Amino acid sequence: MSEVCARSKILEAAGEVFAEKGFKAATIREICTNAGVNLASVNYYYGDKEQLYLEAVKLSHPGRLGEGETALPEDIPVAEKLRVFVRGLLDRLAKDNDSSWQVRLFRREIIQPTPFCRETLEEFFRSRFSVLEKLVEEILPPGSPAWQRRQICFSIIGQCVYFRAAKNVVSMVIGDDEYDSHYNTENLTEHILRFSLCSLGLQKPFSLEDRPLEDRFDAEIGA
Amino acid sequence: MSEVCARSKILEAAGEVFAEKGFKAATIREICTNAGVNLASVNYYYGDKEQLYLEAVKLSHPGRLGEGETALPEDIPVAEKLRVFVRGLLDRLAKDNDSSWQVRLFRREIIQPTPFCRETLEEFFRSRFSVLEKLVEEILPPGSPAWQRRQICFSIIGQCVYFRAAKNVVSMVIGDDEYDSHYNTENLTEHILRFSLCSLGLQKPFSLEDRPLEDRFDAEIGA
DNA sequence: ACTTGTTTTAAACACTTGTTTGAATTACGT
DNA sequence: ACGTAATTCAAACAAGTGTTTAAAACAAGT
């Protein structure tokens, strides 16, 4: 198609294949075929497969992209900020994502980090996590311990990741119909947000009245 | 050590190696070496690698083991039942588990199912899920839609799976010290249980008083 | 002791993988 | 046009994989 040099053609094809199959299952032969270059070109331009993968992941880093999603709107209620965060994360993790390989490859690294680019990912995780942590800190009472705050953050993140990563398991249990109708990004955002806001006391719990009180609030847990 | 036939020696060694490295990365050569049998024995006794894996997974199925953890105690409050469920799941998913390869191999299949034994797993998932679903049904108001109930179930399961499966990410963000002190099975059980019970209205939310009310309950979400 | 069927063995096969090689081709400055 | 460097290419290499083979060793029945 485009008249670009072989080096970038390789990287483009490699990103696509790596995003599709992962590091191990992707083969240099397929990458070179798709790129329309000779088999030896990968080693000529990038040294070996591992360095090629690292270059691809570096290019997939959202910091390098102009997505600028790390900044949350300022002048909205904290619950709304949380919704933006949850939807953003779900979007990024969306399985049926026909977006660029950068997004898909980076999602791969989020869900199953390879040992090659640990530091590249670590920086991303920390920065994203701190956004959520500040958000939860706004909600929790001032005296709350930091470890508890972080556990809550991971509970929120965990739901997002699980719903996306375990699509197979979910649809295996509930069937494809219900999955299609209740597990798109919109549905999941609302559910996870509500589930989490209830815990945080910003929304009424799923079950409030119309239940007998004898077995309510009587689990001797925590405080 | 023990004087058993080659067939079972292979299965034993295979279970160990499969649990450690997964299907793809495990090699027949390593299995046979560990079992102390000839390389060709796997194909002689089991046909091929795939069938051997399937036999190992079948043997790892908790239904086949005498663990009998599917039955929850009857005469305890529903919140306690949920705790038993959560702890049981966390136990089964525990990363640093020096237990038998059966448990570790089955955990592997739970987190990353291989296409080989889909039906074997499907039965397990459904049965376990229905236990949790009945439990949640007890808590929710009678009119609640089924899809919502199931979403809640997956939110609970998702937390358990994520905290266990994403240990690398978690400790990468918060450091090993905090992980060791606040993310063992006991801590996680209490946290996930509380986070979930809050949502379900069986426990007071993390934040109730001592916060300004202006940004509380004002997210126009759900009902 | 001989036969028959089962198990074990070493070797090879067929295939895929990442990587290297050395010659052929191209690009480009002089 | 020439010469040098960069690039491309087909081919092979080396290591690893699951699998097959055919002969050897063994066990058991008669």
Side-chain angles (χ1 to χ4, degrees):
Chain A
M1 312 289 175
S2 52
E3 274 299 332
V4 288
C5 64
R7 206 190 139 89
S8 53
K9 276 198 298 185
I10 292 173
L11 191 54
E12 191 64 26
E16 199 64 55
V17 177
F18 280 139
E20 187 67 27
K21 313 200 167 182
F23 175 79
K24 186 78 180 293
T27 71
I28 292 187
R29 279 173 173 80
E30 180 179 3
I31 291 171
C32 290
T33 302
N34 291 1
V37 303
N38 186 267
L39 173 62
S41 302
V42 161
N43 299 73
Y44 179 76
Y45 283 107
Y46 291 94
D48 59 3
K49 185 185 182 184
E50 204 168 296
Q51 289 181 57
L52 173 61
Y53 184 76
L54 203 127
E55 288 302 313
V57 171
K58 273 186 188 164
L59 211 65
S60 81
H61 192 295
R64 309 244 167 188
L65 302 177
E67 309 198 15
E69 48 161 3
T70 33
L72 291 177
E74 273 300 329
D75 49 355
I76 56 176
V78 65
E80 276 305 309
K81 288 192 208 167
L82 190 58
R83 163 183 282 154
V84 172
F85 184 92
V86 168
R87 170 175 289 127
L89 184 52
L90 283 173
D91 252 350
R92 175 157 287 279
L93 294 173
K95 258 276 192 292
D96 44 0
N97 209 339
D98 54 350
S99 51
S100 65
W101 61 262
Q102 279 90 345
V103 177
R104 304 200 309 274
L105 179 56
F106 200 72
R107 173 182 63 220
R108 229 180 217 290
E109 276 288 324
I110 291 177
I111 294 176
Q112 277 182 354
T114 59
F116 313 129
C117 32
R118 191 190 159 89
E119 51 269 40
T120 304
L121 271 240
E122 195 163 328
E123 177 204 347
F124 171 76
F125 280 135
R126 277 199 220 275
S127 112
R128 293 296 294 159
F129 188 83
S130 82
V131 171
L132 178 58
E133 200 180 352
K134 282 206 202 71
L135 226 152
V136 171
E137 197 175 5
E138 274 191 65
I139 300 173
L140 288 180
S144 307
W147 56 264
Q148 187 185 55
R149 193 195 321 141
R150 300 201 192 102
Q151 283 180 336
I152 292 172
C153 290
F154 280 122
S155 277
I156 297 171
I157 294 175
Q159 292 177 75
C160 297
V161 173
Y162 182 80
F163 274 111
R164 287 310 199 193
K167 167 184 159 61
N168 295 336
V169 175
V170 173
S171 65
M172 183 187 293
V173 170
I174 66 173
D176 285 331
D177 294 344
E178 184 169 330
Y179 188 88
D180 291 338
S181 53
H182 289 100
Y183 288 78
N184 56 35
T185 302
E186 214 57 37
N187 301 140
L188 288 180
T189 303
E190 294 312 312
H191 166 70
I192 295 173
L193 188 66
R194 181 168 178 202
F195 194 86
S196 305
L197 286 182
C198 290
S199 276
L200 291 166
L202 288 194
Q203 205 177 4
K204 285 194 298 186
F206 283 86
S207 159
L208 249 191
E209 305 86 72
D210 61 350
R211 287 285 303 162
L213 273 172
E214 46 265 40
D215 56 359
R216 186 188 303 284
F217 294 117
D218 63 350
E220 61 284 1
I221 299 160
Chain B
M1 307 299 170
S2 52
E3 273 300 331
V4 286
C5 65
R7 206 189 140 88
S8 55
K9 275 198 300 184
I10 291 174
L11 192 54
E12 191 64 27
E16 199 65 55
V17 177
F18 281 138
E20 186 68 26
K21 314 199 166 181
F23 175 78
K24 187 75 181 295
T27 71
I28 293 187
R29 279 171 173 82
E30 181 178 2
I31 291 171
C32 290
T33 302
N34 290 2
V37 302
N38 185 267
L39 172 62
S41 303
V42 161
N43 298 70
Y44 179 75
Y45 283 108
Y46 292 93
D48 59 1
K49 186 186 181 184
E50 205 169 292
Q51 289 182 56
L52 172 61
Y53 184 76
L54 203 129
E55 288 302 314
V57 171
K58 273 186 190 164
L59 211 66
S60 81
H61 192 296
R64 309 246 166 185
L65 301 177
E67 309 198 14
E69 47 164 2
T70 34
L72 290 178
E74 273 301 329
D75 49 353
I76 56 176
V78 64
E80 274 306 309
K81 289 192 209 166
L82 190 58
R83 164 184 280 153
V84 172
F85 183 92
V86 169
R87 169 176 290 126
L89 184 53
L90 283 173
D91 253 350
R92 176 157 286 280
L93 294 173
K95 258 277 193 291
D96 44 359
N97 210 338
D98 54 349
S99 50
S100 65
W101 60 262
Q102 278 91 344
V103 177
R104 303 200 310 274
L105 179 57
F106 200 73
R107 174 180 63 220
R108 225 179 221 289
E109 275 290 323
I110 291 177
I111 294 175
Q112 275 183 354
T114 59
F116 313 129
C117 31
R118 190 188 159 89
E119 52 267 40
T120 304
L121 270 240
E122 195 164 326
E123 177 204 347
F124 170 77
F125 279 134
R126 278 199 219 275
S127 110
R128 292 296 293 158
F129 189 83
S130 81
V131 171
L132 177 59
E133 200 179 352
K134 281 205 203 70
L135 226 152
V136 171
E137 197 174 5
E138 274 191 65
I139 301 174
L140 287 181
S144 307
W147 56 263
Q148 186 185 57
R149 195 195 318 143
R150 301 202 192 102
Q151 283 179 336
I152 292 172
C153 291
F154 281 122
S155 277
I156 297 171
I157 293 175
Q159 291 176 76
C160 296
V161 173
Y162 182 80
F163 274 111
R164 287 311 199 194
K167 169 185 159 64
N168 294 336
V169 174
V170 173
S171 66
M172 184 188 290
V173 169
I174 67 174
D176 286 331
D177 294 343
E178 185 169 330
Y179 188 88
D180 291 338
S181 51
H182 289 99
Y183 288 77
N184 56 35
T185 301
E186 214 57 37
N187 301 139
L188 288 180
T189 302
E190 294 313 312
H191 166 70
I192 295 173
L193 188 66
R194 181 169 177 203
F195 193 85
S196 305
L197 287 181
C198 290
S199 276
L200 291 167
L202 288 194
Q203 206 178 2
K204 286 193 298 185
F206 283 88
S207 158
L208 249 190
E209 303 88 70
D210 60 350
R211 289 283 305 161
L213 273 173
E214 47 265 40
D215 57 358
R216 186 186 302 283
F217 292 117
D218 63 352
E220 61 286 0
I221 300 160

